[in-house]
């Protein structure tokens, strides 16, 4: 569609040109007339077509690009239309985890920003523990795909063309394992992941971190982390200084961090969990964070900075009162409160849309009611990041539609919008949940089972998860899902490639998910012929499917991420293939009489953990590859230096 924009569009043209190909328009001096006007109302957007000409009236730059998408979407449906929206949040944004192997390439980031612009997002948070450059610290992000200052500036420039505010989220206390693992920087280390507070060298490091992270961005926002610092003061600090209350240590370090932030004219944000955990009066756990009875002592509240935005994170709750209770607990802390929910791509090849969509919908409704003006959708990449943020676009669309709706957006509207903004139907995205929402799962996979990952990586002879899935007919489930994904794909869609890995994974799991159970049964009944056939035919077929999956995954990774970090996933695939080969050799040795028994198959199968379907906790959850692959020692380090 040829479009002639009339009005003051000079600052909008770079963004219009970037999106033109995605939404099928050709901007120029002829074609459909669209009158563009800036509104005095910062949070209002009007879009329409009266049969002769179109209009987009917007209050903020980012709203224009949502309006442009709405215009093209509805113009394509035919007939006149008039739309009016009011933005419900000052900020609505995704948070990309760029610290757990998968660092978006510049092209990958730009592709994502195109989608966010059409949705109407107005910010993007870059979570970078050590994946940004610090000139004074060569080991910071070393071989981890860290962004250079120039790369971050390019991301910021591209986001700005859409009116999207890009800003950094860093860690200034804990969650720094990947930097602190290096021997040359041991002087900064208290424990495995926490900085040694109270030291001049640490204070200089933090100042350099703030400079390195903030300099490339226009935004004055900076998220300084401070979450999950339970180990603070329990390592080298304890040896040197003796025991000290963690709140006092944290508050003292926070004062220094905030002073550095303020000197640079930055506006700080920080996670709120440690304050509520410490207020609970014990060791501090996630359960304490959500405890409705937590009371903030007056002395603690007085020491919490009022100029820092506290970010309350909550990814799992499904009832409004659960959010209302924790928000109420935050009120005595004073200051501004923001909310961070999640689109669950954590520790899985899929997306837990059953939990993500429902929890986010409830949370965002409560946020509107409670007057919370900033909402973020986190997408963590725990344990190596087998998944990817593009698969989470349906969840991000929910956040966007909430941001422009007083009530919860209707499913039909959400589905129409995500199809337009991404080119992928909502139902196709939803199939990704079935990689983990398998028979035996709790409704909507609310216990976060992740069989798509542990069934791929578990050893076929050891069968660590076999008891968890016994009798669930998962082979049939994955065979059916493979067909459904294949049937739903559209090779002409830009993002169709996202579904190659899930489809290939199903092709593996329809063969591998129950093979350990079958081998154990054949062994227990003395069926050497069945074991010989498994070694000669079934295990090689699984290996062939794994090789196809690996190649598809590598192609996908290199299309959206930097190459650093892929070696971790590559090694994991190599481990699966090597163990299949060893298992086939063991089975043949037994079937052909060269060994008297297979000790691995002699072992009784036990449930992997207390998270199992026999006590209503789903089919299982495991956070770490090395625990999926083997019960034996991968590494054991008491003193790495």
């Amino acid at each position: 569609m040829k479009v002639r924009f009339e009005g003051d569009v000079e600052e909008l043209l770079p963004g219009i040109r970037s999106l033109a190909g995605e939404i099928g328009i050709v901007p120029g001096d002829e074609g459909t007339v669209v009158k563009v006007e800036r509104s005095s109302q910062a949070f209002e957007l009007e879009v329409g077509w009266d049969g002769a000409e179109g209009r987009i009236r917007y209050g903020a730059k980012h709203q224009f690009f949502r309006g442009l998408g709405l215009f093209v979407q509805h113009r394509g449906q035919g007939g006149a239309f008039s739309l009016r929206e009011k933005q419900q949040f000052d900020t609505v944004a995704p948070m990309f985890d760029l610290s757990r192997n998968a660092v978006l390439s510049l092209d990958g980031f730009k592709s994502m920003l195109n989608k966010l612009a059409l949705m109407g997002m107005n910010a993007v948070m870059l979570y970078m523990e050590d994946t940004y450059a610090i000139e004074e610290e060569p080991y910071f992000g070393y071989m981890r795909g860290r962004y250079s200052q120039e790369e971050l500036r390019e991301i910021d420039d591209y986001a700005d063309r859409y009116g999207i505010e890009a800003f950094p989220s860093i860690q200034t206390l804990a969650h720094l394992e990947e930097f602190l693992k290096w021997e040359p920087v041991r002087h900064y280390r208290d424990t495995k992941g926490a900085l040694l507070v109270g030291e001049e060298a640490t204070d200089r490091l933090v100042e350099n971190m703030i400079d390195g992270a903030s300099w490339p961005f226009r935004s004055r926002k900076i998220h300084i982390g401070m979450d999950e610092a339970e180990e603070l003061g329990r390592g080298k600090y304890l040896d040197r200084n003796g025991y000290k209350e963690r709140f006092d240590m944290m508050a003292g370090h926070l004062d220094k961090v905030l002073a550095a932030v303020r000197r640079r004219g930055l506006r700080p944000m920080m996670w709120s969990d440690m304050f509520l955990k410490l207020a609970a009066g014990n060791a501090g756990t996630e359960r304490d964070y959500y405890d409705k009875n937590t009371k903030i002592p007056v002395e603690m509240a007085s020491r919490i900075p009022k100029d820092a935005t506290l970010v309350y994170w909550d990814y799992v709750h499904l009832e409004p009162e659960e959010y209302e209770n924790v928000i109420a607990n935050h009120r005595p802390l004073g200051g501004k409160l923001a909310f961070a929910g999640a689109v669950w791509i954590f520790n899985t090849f899929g997306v837990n849309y059953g939990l993500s969509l429902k929890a986010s919908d409830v949370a965002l409704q409560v946020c509107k009611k409670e007057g919370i003006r900033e909402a973020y959708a986190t997408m963590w990449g725990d344990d190596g990041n087998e998944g990817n943020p593009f698969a989470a676009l349906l969840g991000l669309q929910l956040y966007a539609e909430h941001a422009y709706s007083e009530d919860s957006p209707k499913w039909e509207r959400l589905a129409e919008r995500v199809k337009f903004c991404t080119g992928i139907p909502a139902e196709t995205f939803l199939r990704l949940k079935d990689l983990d929402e398998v028979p035996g799962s709790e409704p909507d996979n609310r216990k976060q089972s992740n069989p798509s990952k542990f069934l791929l990586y578990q050893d076929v002879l050891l069968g660590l998860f076999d008891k968890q899935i016994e009798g669930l007919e998962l082979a049939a489930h994955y065979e059916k899902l493979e067909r459904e994904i294949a049937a739903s794909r559209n090779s002409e869609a830009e993002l169709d490639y996202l579904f190659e890995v899930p489809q290939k994974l199903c092709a593996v799991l329809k063969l591998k998910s129950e093979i350990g159970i079958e081998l154990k049964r054949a062994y227990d009944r003395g069926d050497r012929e069945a074991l010989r056939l498994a070694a000669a035919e079934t295990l090689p077929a699984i290996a062939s499917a794994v090789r196809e999956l690996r190649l598809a995954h590598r192609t996908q990774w290199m299309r959206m991420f930097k190459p650093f970090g892929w070696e971790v996933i590559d090694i994991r695939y190599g481990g699966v293939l090597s163990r299949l080969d060893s298992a086939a050799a063991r089975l043949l040795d037994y079937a052909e009489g060269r060994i008297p028994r297979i000790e691995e198959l002699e072992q009784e199968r036990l449930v992997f953990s207390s998270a199992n379907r026999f006590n209503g906790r789903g089919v299982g959850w495991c956070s770490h590859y090395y625990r999926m692959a083997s019960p034996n020692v991968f590494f054991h380090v008491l003193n790495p230096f």
Side-chain angles (χ1 to χ4, degrees):
M1 176 172 64
K2 293 182 178 180
V3 180
R4 186 172 88 239
F5 293 98
E6 295 185 355
D8 186 5
V9 297
E10 190 65 29
E11 74 161 346
L12 305 174
L13 284 176
I16 292 171
R17 291 171 182 141
S18 295
L19 289 176
E22 293 215 11
I23 59 178
I25 66 169
V26 180
D29 296 329
E30 56 183 31
T32 300
V33 173
V34 176
K35 293 189 173 180
V36 179
E37 180 184 357
R38 193 75 178 251
S39 170
S40 61
Q41 301 299 315
F43 293 106
E44 292 189 0
L45 172 65
E46 298 177 36
V47 181
W49 168 256
D50 62 9
E53 63 182 23
R55 71 181 185 282
I56 301 175
R57 191 167 185 263
Y58 66 99
K61 184 177 179 181
H62 70 277
Q63 292 173 339
F64 169 81
F65 293 100
R66 177 177 171 87
L68 176 60
L70 286 168
F71 177 81
V72 175
Q73 175 188 340
H74 287 269
R75 182 73 184 89
Q77 296 170 1
F81 62 89
S82 180
L83 307 172
R84 186 187 298 266
E85 295 181 335
K86 185 174 182 180
Q87 191 170 326
Q88 305 297 306
F89 297 108
D90 295 343
T91 301
V92 57
M95 184 224 77
F96 297 112
D97 185 348
L98 305 166
S99 299
R100 292 176 174 86
N101 294 355
V103 179
L104 282 166
S105 66
L106 291 185
D107 286 343
F109 219 124
K110 290 174 182 179
S111 175
M112 178 63 75
L113 286 167
N114 291 345
K115 313 297 184 288
L116 301 181
L118 291 173
M119 291 179 184
M121 298 283 193
N122 67 339
V124 58
M125 190 193 306
L126 286 74
Y127 179 76
M128 302 178 291
E129 291 173 356
D130 68 330
T131 48
Y132 57 99
I134 299 177
E135 183 178 351
E136 299 85 353
E137 298 291 343
Y139 284 94
F140 200 81
Y142 174 58
M143 288 292 182
R144 296 248 298 134
R146 64 188 171 202
Y147 290 117
S148 67
Q149 300 277 296
E150 293 73 22
E151 286 175 316
L152 290 176
R153 172 60 75 181
E154 187 170 342
I155 290 170
D156 186 62
D157 286 343
Y158 197 84
D160 183 66
R161 70 175 56 181
Y162 296 130
I164 293 174
E165 179 184 19
F167 67 95
S169 173
I170 65 175
Q171 290 289 356
T172 56
L173 180 57
H175 278 302
L176 289 167
E177 292 87 349
E178 296 310 313
F179 172 55
L180 296 176
K181 69 176 181 280
W182 297 108
E183 184 272 338
V185 301
R186 64 182 181 224
H187 52 286
Y188 296 132
R189 173 175 169 155
D190 177 12
T191 63
K192 180 178 70 172
L195 291 174
L196 181 60
V197 301
E199 300 287 324
E200 289 185 9
T202 301
D203 296 341
R204 286 194 300 272
L205 170 66
V206 170
E207 297 243 5
N208 290 335
M209 291 165 70
I210 293 168
D211 284 335
S214 64
W215 180 84
F217 296 98
R218 292 170 173 80
S219 174
R220 294 292 82 199
K221 280 185 180 179
I222 185 169
H223 196 308
I224 59 173
M226 294 280 177
D227 62 313
E228 297 181 325
E230 286 85 0
E231 61 192 271
L232 175 64
R234 302 298 174 85
K236 193 186 299 181
Y237 183 96
L238 184 64
D239 295 338
R240 290 184 179 182
N241 304 291
Y243 177 79
K244 188 174 181 179
E245 289 290 340
R246 277 186 301 164
F247 178 74
D248 292 333
M249 283 188 288
M250 183 173 177
H253 182 67
L254 178 59
D255 286 344
K256 293 180 180 179
V257 174
L258 290 177
V261 167
R262 291 170 185 138
R263 284 195 298 272
R264 292 158 174 80
L266 300 171
R267 301 193 305 274
M269 304 170 66
M270 60 183 294
W271 305 111
S272 68
D273 59 289
M274 283 304 296
F275 294 122
L276 269 69
K277 290 174 183 177
L278 293 170
N282 52 33
T285 65
E286 189 169 311
R287 183 179 62 186
D288 300 324
Y289 183 42
Y290 297 122
D291 187 346
K292 68 178 181 180
N293 297 314
T294 296
K295 303 298 181 186
I296 306 298
V298 174
E299 181 183 358
M300 179 182 288
S302 68
R303 296 187 64 184
I304 295 172
K306 302 302 183 283
D307 62 340
T309 297
L310 296 181
V311 184
Y312 154 44
W313 56 266
D314 196 329
Y315 311 146
V316 299
H317 290 109
L318 297 170
E319 298 299 330
E321 56 267 23
E322 294 174 307
Y323 295 96
E324 292 165 356
N325 289 334
V326 182
I327 290 171
N329 288 345
H330 281 80
R331 297 302 188 194
L333 297 173
K336 189 176 179 182
L337 183 62
F339 174 77
V343 185
W344 273 83
I345 60 172
F346 319 178
N347 253 308
T348 176
F349 280 78
V351 186
N352 188 344
Y353 273 127
L355 177 61
S356 298
L357 295 180
K358 292 193 175 181
S360 296
D361 184 51
V362 173
L364 293 171
Q365 290 184 68
V366 172
C367 286
K368 293 175 190 177
K369 173 187 168 187
E370 295 287 337
I372 293 177
R373 300 297 300 175
E374 294 184 53
Y376 298 91
T378 65
M379 289 164 288
W380 298 104
D382 298 17
D383 192 48
N385 224 321
E386 276 88 359
N388 70 83
F390 287 89
L393 284 169
L394 173 61
L396 297 185
Q397 192 80 55
L398 174 66
Y399 277 75
E401 298 316 304
H402 253 291
Y404 293 89
S405 307
E406 291 186 15
D407 301 316
S408 177
K410 302 295 184 185
W411 173 254
E412 293 77 13
R413 176 186 176 184
L414 177 63
E416 287 180 359
R417 289 291 295 149
V418 78
K419 176 64 166 65
F420 177 81
C421 293
T422 72
I424 303 296
E427 294 299 329
T428 303
F429 277 117
L430 281 180
R431 284 191 174 86
L432 297 176
K433 73 183 178 63
D434 294 326
L435 288 169
D436 296 308
E437 195 173 312
V438 301
S441 298
E442 291 296 290
D444 296 315
N445 198 11
R446 57 177 176 249
K447 298 300 182 183
Q448 305 109 53
S449 296
N450 62 339
S452 68
K453 184 167 176 173
F454 66 65
L455 291 176
L456 173 65
Y457 291 141
Q458 81 157 345
D459 190 89
V460 296
L461 286 184
L462 301 178
L464 295 181
F465 295 86
D466 285 351
K467 195 70 175 177
Q468 307 266 137
I469 66 159
E470 193 173 23
L472 295 179
E473 299 185 355
L474 295 192
H477 171 83
Y478 285 114
E479 184 175 22
K480 178 173 179 286
L481 182 58
E482 180 190 15
R483 293 195 303 269
E484 291 174 344
I485 292 174
S488 68
R489 293 180 61 181
N490 174 9
S491 61
E492 296 183 0
E494 175 203 351
L495 295 181
D496 179 70
Y497 75 96
L498 295 176
F499 301 91
E500 185 73 4
V501 170
Q503 185 178 330
K504 297 291 188 185
L505 178 60
C506 288
V508 172
L509 295 183
K510 73 181 181 183
L511 300 175
K512 187 176 185 290
S513 58
E514 298 182 68
I515 187 62
I517 297 170
E518 295 170 8
L519 294 177
K520 173 67 171 166
R521 287 174 180 167
Y523 183 80
D524 287 346
R525 67 175 182 264
D527 191 343
R528 293 179 184 243
E529 179 58 21
L531 296 176
R532 189 191 66 77
L533 285 173
E537 298 179 9
T538 308
L539 297 191
I542 295 172
S544 178
V546 170
R547 283 190 285 270
E548 289 192 26
L549 169 60
R550 171 182 166 268
L551 291 176
H553 200 166
R554 186 175 68 192
T555 300
Q556 175 183 280
W557 185 286
M558 299 303 173
R559 186 164 177 173
M560 62 178 70
F561 300 128
K562 293 188 176 188
F564 302 95
W566 169 250
E567 74 279 0
V568 172
I569 309 300
D570 221 4
I571 290 166
R572 292 177 183 181
Y573 282 123
V576 173
L577 291 168
S578 292
R579 287 300 297 159
L580 287 168
D581 181 68
S582 291
R586 295 278 289 157
L587 294 176
L588 281 176
D589 282 346
Y590 175 72
E592 296 174 1
R594 288 185 289 275
I595 58 175
R597 63 186 181 278
I598 302 176
E599 292 175 88
E600 302 95 320
L601 296 180
E602 295 274 345
Q603 301 294 308
E604 178 187 0
R605 272 31 181 172
L606 304 176
V607 293
F608 180 80
S609 71
S610 59
N612 59 69
R613 74 185 197 274
F614 307 110
N615 58 17
R617 295 181 63 188
V619 297
W621 167 265
C622 185
S623 298
H624 303 291
Y625 156 77
Y626 66 89
R627 292 299 183 211
M628 301 172 189
S630 171
N632 291 299
V633 176
F634 266 64
F635 53 81
H636 183 67
V637 180
L638 290 177
N639 185 351
F641 307 129

